[in-house]
Amino acid sequence: MNLYQTNLLIIALGALALLLIALAGGFKSPALFMAGLAAFVAVVLVDFIFKRCPHCGKHLGRDSGIFCPHCGKKL
């Protein structure tokens, strides 16, 4: 999975988590809240597992620009 696909997945899962948690508040549904919480945990896991430099393997963090902040190679 490339960095673009990873970012799209993080955005989609994050939007799903926000939507489910908001709906859980409106409907007072613990099941929707738990689904939203699971989607949020999935966002965190995808970020830490897949958002890495292909050269050095270190986590890119929030700043995933053109170059790796650790090794300086082009992403």
Side-chain angles (χ1 to χ4, degrees):
M1 184 180 302
N2 65 29
L3 192 56
Y4 177 75
Q5 291 170 332
T6 302
N7 285 337
L8 282 179
L9 183 58
I10 288 171
I11 290 168
L13 285 172
L16 178 64
L18 286 173
L19 177 68
L20 289 173
I21 291 173
L23 286 173
F27 291 121
K28 305 215 184 305
S29 170
L32 282 176
F33 179 76
M34 293 305 289
L37 191 59
F40 176 75
V41 169
V43 167
V44 173
L45 288 176
V46 166
D47 181 64
F48 281 114
I49 293 171
F50 294 109
K51 201 168 180 184
R52 298 192 169 274
C53 174
H55 306 287
C56 67
K58 292 188 179 177
H59 187 257
L60 293 173
R62 288 188 204 172
D63 183 27
S64 57
I66 297 173
F67 298 98
C68 173
H70 303 287
C71 68
K73 292 187 179 177
K74 189 171 182 178
L75 299 174

